[in-house]
Amino acid sequence: MKVRVLGSAAGGGFPQWNCNCRNCTGVRRRTLRATPRTQSSIAVCGRDGRSWALINASPDILAQLRASPALQGTAVPRDSAIGAIVLVDGQIDHTAGLLLLRESGRPLAIWCTDEVCADLSHGYPVFGVLAHYCGVERRGIVPDGSRFAIPGVTGVLWRALAVAGKPAPYSPHRDAPVRGDNIALIMEEESSARTIVYAPGVSAMQEDLWQAMQGASAVLVDGTFWSDDEMPALGIAHKRARDLGHLPQSGAGGMLEWLGRLPADSRRILVHVNNTNPILDEDSPQRAELDRRGIEVAWDGLEIEL
Ligand code: MLT
Ligand code: MN
Ligand code: ZN
């Protein structure tokens, strides 16, 4: 099983078009040692080495596919190696790319929970819009930890866990999240039983996710914000990390503490990194702390092979 990080930034990307924070300005002017990043998505390839599942369809999907020749299908005049699309939530940064795949020659096979399906059918009716183009063949995900297989992606077993987080502003449960608004995915290579956990949006650690993380060869987890008050402190927004559905890295109970308790041989990788996060500055003390702790920051094009 292979995982390729297509986009490692949170919503807005890095740099974000209208942002003049230290990071965005620095990377734009090349005065900061930092690498631009596109919005949050990974792809998973099964045993046959040919067909892929796309996890989240970011607004940057076209650039991400151009940078990933392995995802180009070449059997027929118009083709793609993406056999299925899996969504971890219904937010814009994970779903705007669906519209950009409308030229597909067959209905898009989209796996998501009932809650995400409802948001993409009503508040932000992407599925209805796509019905006028290629159409959608929606497949349900029940986020209870039970195993399922995705046809076309061979040799991979999947599990989904409901995680604490926020649904999008157009969700009817924006202010009172329900199970299924946000999920974590566990991908298991059937032949070796080794697993990778993918959880780009988690506002609090919970027992079932923690169990899955402890058994994983690699975890790709929420790296959105360094501190809970990151955006208010920069005068950018009033909301704190946890209010936006993201557990910060620093502080008591933060992601660094959890990652520090994982077995020594597991890879710890932060994904969905917001452009305000100081870890994007490769010369920052926060980045040095990650290095000391053996925690990696995902970059676009990073591949993990089990
Ligand atoms: C989030 O996860 O909070 C999102 O990145 C928000 C967005 O896409 O606007
Ligand atoms: Mn997001
Ligand atoms: Zn910024």
Side-chain angles (χ1 to χ4, degrees):
M1 177 169 73
K2 185 196 271 189
V3 167
R4 180 177 171 87
V5 174
L6 302 183
S8 50
F14 177 51
Q16 178 173 315
W17 67 283
N18 62 346
C19 190
N20 295 310
C21 76
R22 180 179 179 275
N23 282 346
C24 288
T25 304
V27 77
R28 217 177 267 130
R29 295 194 183 149
R30 296 170 202 257
T31 53
L32 199 75
R33 206 154 67 85
T35 308
R37 287 169 161 81
T38 62
Q39 292 165 86
S40 179
S41 172
I42 65 170
V44 178
C45 185
R47 188 175 49 212
D48 67 2
R50 281 202 313 273
S51 63
W52 294 75
L54 176 72
I55 320 297
N56 300 326
S58 114
D60 301 313
I61 179 100
L62 301 183
Q64 294 169 343
L65 293 181
R66 266 177 226 128
S68 308
L71 273 75
Q72 180 68 46
T74 51
V76 291
R78 286 205 162 152
D79 201 7
S80 168
I82 298 170
I85 302 169
V86 186
L87 303 174
V88 302
D89 61 40
Q91 299 253 18
I92 297 279
D93 60 337
H94 289 157
T95 59
L98 294 172
L99 293 174
L100 308 179
L101 301 178
R102 66 193 177 285
E103 298 91 351
S104 173
R106 51 177 191 263
L108 299 176
I110 302 181
W111 294 70
C112 64
T113 63
D114 288 347
E115 290 70 24
V116 169
C117 181
D119 287 348
L120 299 183
S121 304
H122 305 293
Y124 165 46
V126 177
F127 287 178
V129 174
L130 283 171
H132 298 279
Y133 296 87
C134 56
V136 170
E137 228 171 73
R138 191 253 164 169
R139 307 285 170 87
I141 290 182
V142 183
D144 62 357
S146 55
R147 284 198 169 80
F148 59 98
I150 294 185
V153 185
T154 50
V156 180
L157 293 171
W158 301 72
R159 292 192 294 135
L161 298 175
V163 292
K166 274 263 168 158
Y170 37 81
S171 162
H173 1 100
R174 172 70 168 176
D175 297 316
V178 300
R179 281 176 62 83
D181 286 331
N182 290 270
I183 60 170
L185 290 168
I186 300 143
M187 287 84 70
E188 176 181 337
E189 184 179 63
E190 212 173 353
S191 60
S192 66
R194 297 179 73 196
T195 58
I196 295 179
V197 170
Y198 178 59
V202 178
S203 64
M205 192 54 69
Q206 59 195 43
E207 190 50 34
D208 51 0
L209 176 61
W210 179 233
Q211 290 292 332
M213 286 171 64
Q214 286 173 285
S217 299
V219 300
L220 284 76
V221 292
D222 192 331
T224 313
F225 298 111
W226 176 261
S227 50
D228 199 37
D229 69 345
E230 189 165 307
M231 303 245 273
L234 290 168
I236 282 178
H238 297 297
K239 295 223 159 133
R240 305 174 78 84
R242 287 182 172 87
D243 300 332
L244 291 165
H246 299 289
L247 181 67
Q249 281 112 62
S250 65
M255 191 61 90
L256 297 191
E257 278 189 2
W258 289 103
L259 295 179
R261 288 186 213 131
L262 288 179
D265 60 350
S266 65
R267 268 182 91 175
R268 310 124 215 260
I269 304 171
L270 296 172
V271 294
H272 192 275
V273 184
N274 198 58
N275 56 73
T276 51
N277 192 324
I279 62 175
L280 289 170
D281 173 359
E282 291 166 28
D283 296 317
S284 65
Q286 292 86 352
R287 183 61 166 264
E289 183 168 349
L290 295 188
D291 291 345
R292 266 196 312 280
R293 291 171 177 259
I295 299 172
E296 302 168 63
V297 182
W299 42 276
D300 298 8
L302 170 66
E303 290 191 349
I304 301 154
E305 197 153 2
L306 289 189

PDB file of all heavy atoms in Angstrom, residues 10-11 40 89 91 93-94 246 272, ligand 2:
ATOM      1  N   ALA A  10      -3.986  23.340   5.101  1.00  0.00           N
ATOM      2  CA  ALA A  10      -5.404  23.441   5.446  1.00  0.00           C
ATOM      3  C   ALA A  10      -6.118  24.328   4.415  1.00  0.00           C
ATOM      4  O   ALA A  10      -5.503  24.792   3.447  1.00  0.00           O
ATOM      5  CB  ALA A  10      -5.551  24.024   6.846  1.00  0.00           C
ATOM      6  N   GLY A  11      -7.411  24.570   4.652  1.00  0.00           N
ATOM      7  CA  GLY A  11      -8.195  25.431   3.780  1.00  0.00           C
ATOM      8  C   GLY A  11      -7.494  26.768   3.561  1.00  0.00           C
ATOM      9  O   GLY A  11      -6.992  27.356   4.512  1.00  0.00           O
ATOM     10  N   SER A  40      -5.613  20.329   1.373  1.00  0.00           N
ATOM     11  CA  SER A  40      -5.641  19.002   2.004  1.00  0.00           C
ATOM     12  C   SER A  40      -6.216  17.827   1.211  1.00  0.00           C
ATOM     13  O   SER A  40      -7.441  17.718   1.026  1.00  0.00           O
ATOM     14  CB  SER A  40      -6.460  19.215   3.282  1.00  0.00           C
ATOM     15  OG  SER A  40      -6.616  18.054   4.005  1.00  0.00           O
ATOM     16  N   ASP A  89     -14.895  14.864   5.429  1.00  0.00           N
ATOM     17  CA  ASP A  89     -15.904  15.822   5.884  1.00  0.00           C
ATOM     18  C   ASP A  89     -16.482  16.493   4.643  1.00  0.00           C
ATOM     19  O   ASP A  89     -16.120  16.127   3.517  1.00  0.00           O
ATOM     20  CB  ASP A  89     -15.330  16.840   6.908  1.00  0.00           C
ATOM     21  CG  ASP A  89     -14.190  17.686   6.350  1.00  0.00           C
ATOM     22  OD1 ASP A  89     -14.262  18.105   5.172  1.00  0.00           O
ATOM     23  OD2 ASP A  89     -13.221  17.958   7.091  1.00  0.00           O
ATOM     24  N   GLN A  91     -16.355  19.876   4.071  1.00  0.00           N
ATOM     25  CA  GLN A  91     -15.856  21.257   3.997  1.00  0.00           C
ATOM     26  C   GLN A  91     -15.345  21.588   2.591  1.00  0.00           C
ATOM     27  O   GLN A  91     -14.929  20.702   1.837  1.00  0.00           O
ATOM     28  CB  GLN A  91     -14.704  21.440   4.990  1.00  0.00           C
ATOM     29  CG  GLN A  91     -15.109  21.201   6.433  1.00  0.00           C
ATOM     30  CD  GLN A  91     -15.208  22.467   7.261  1.00  0.00           C
ATOM     31  OE1 GLN A  91     -15.305  23.574   6.725  1.00  0.00           O
ATOM     32  NE2 GLN A  91     -15.211  22.325   8.553  1.00  0.00           N
ATOM     33  N   ASP A  93     -12.539  22.879   1.544  1.00  0.00           N
ATOM     34  CA  ASP A  93     -11.168  22.487   1.178  1.00  0.00           C
ATOM     35  C   ASP A  93     -11.066  21.009   0.809  1.00  0.00           C
ATOM     36  O   ASP A  93     -10.102  20.603   0.170  1.00  0.00           O
ATOM     37  CB  ASP A  93     -10.161  22.848   2.292  1.00  0.00           C
ATOM     38  CG  ASP A  93     -10.450  22.190   3.629  1.00  0.00           C
ATOM     39  OD1 ASP A  93     -11.608  21.800   3.874  1.00  0.00           O
ATOM     40  OD2 ASP A  93      -9.519  22.069   4.443  1.00  0.00           O
ATOM     41  N   HIS A  94     -12.065  20.209   1.195  1.00  0.00           N
ATOM     42  CA  HIS A  94     -12.037  18.774   0.886  1.00  0.00           C
ATOM     43  C   HIS A  94     -13.006  18.383  -0.227  1.00  0.00           C
ATOM     44  O   HIS A  94     -13.069  17.205  -0.592  1.00  0.00           O
ATOM     45  CB  HIS A  94     -12.352  17.968   2.153  1.00  0.00           C
ATOM     46  CG  HIS A  94     -11.243  17.994   3.167  1.00  0.00           C
ATOM     47  ND1 HIS A  94     -11.437  17.769   4.511  1.00  0.00           N
ATOM     48  CD2 HIS A  94      -9.911  18.204   3.020  1.00  0.00           C
ATOM     49  CE1 HIS A  94     -10.277  17.848   5.154  1.00  0.00           C
ATOM     50  NE2 HIS A  94      -9.340  18.125   4.275  1.00  0.00           N
ATOM     51  N   HIS A 246     -10.153  21.913  15.610  1.00  0.00           N
ATOM     52  CA  HIS A 246      -8.781  21.418  15.478  1.00  0.00           C
ATOM     53  C   HIS A 246      -8.038  21.474  16.811  1.00  0.00           C
ATOM     54  O   HIS A 246      -7.950  22.525  17.442  1.00  0.00           O
ATOM     55  CB  HIS A 246      -8.033  22.240  14.421  1.00  0.00           C
ATOM     56  CG  HIS A 246      -8.666  22.147  13.065  1.00  0.00           C
ATOM     57  ND1 HIS A 246      -8.613  21.005  12.304  1.00  0.00           N
ATOM     58  CD2 HIS A 246      -9.398  23.039  12.339  1.00  0.00           C
ATOM     59  CE1 HIS A 246      -9.262  21.205  11.166  1.00  0.00           C
ATOM     60  NE2 HIS A 246      -9.759  22.426  11.163  1.00  0.00           N
ATOM     61  N   HIS A 272      -2.645  18.945   6.893  1.00  0.00           N
ATOM     62  CA  HIS A 272      -3.679  19.980   7.018  1.00  0.00           C
ATOM     63  C   HIS A 272      -3.126  21.142   7.855  1.00  0.00           C
ATOM     64  O   HIS A 272      -3.712  21.580   8.845  1.00  0.00           O
ATOM     65  CB  HIS A 272      -4.951  19.370   7.644  1.00  0.00           C
ATOM     66  CG  HIS A 272      -6.181  20.229   7.574  1.00  0.00           C
ATOM     67  ND1 HIS A 272      -6.470  21.205   8.499  1.00  0.00           N
ATOM     68  CD2 HIS A 272      -7.209  20.268   6.690  1.00  0.00           C
ATOM     69  CE1 HIS A 272      -7.616  21.790   8.200  1.00  0.00           C
ATOM     70  NE2 HIS A 272      -8.088  21.237   7.090  1.00  0.00           N
TER      71      HIS A 272
HETATM   72 MN    MN B   2     -10.135  21.723   6.428  1.00  0.00          MN
END
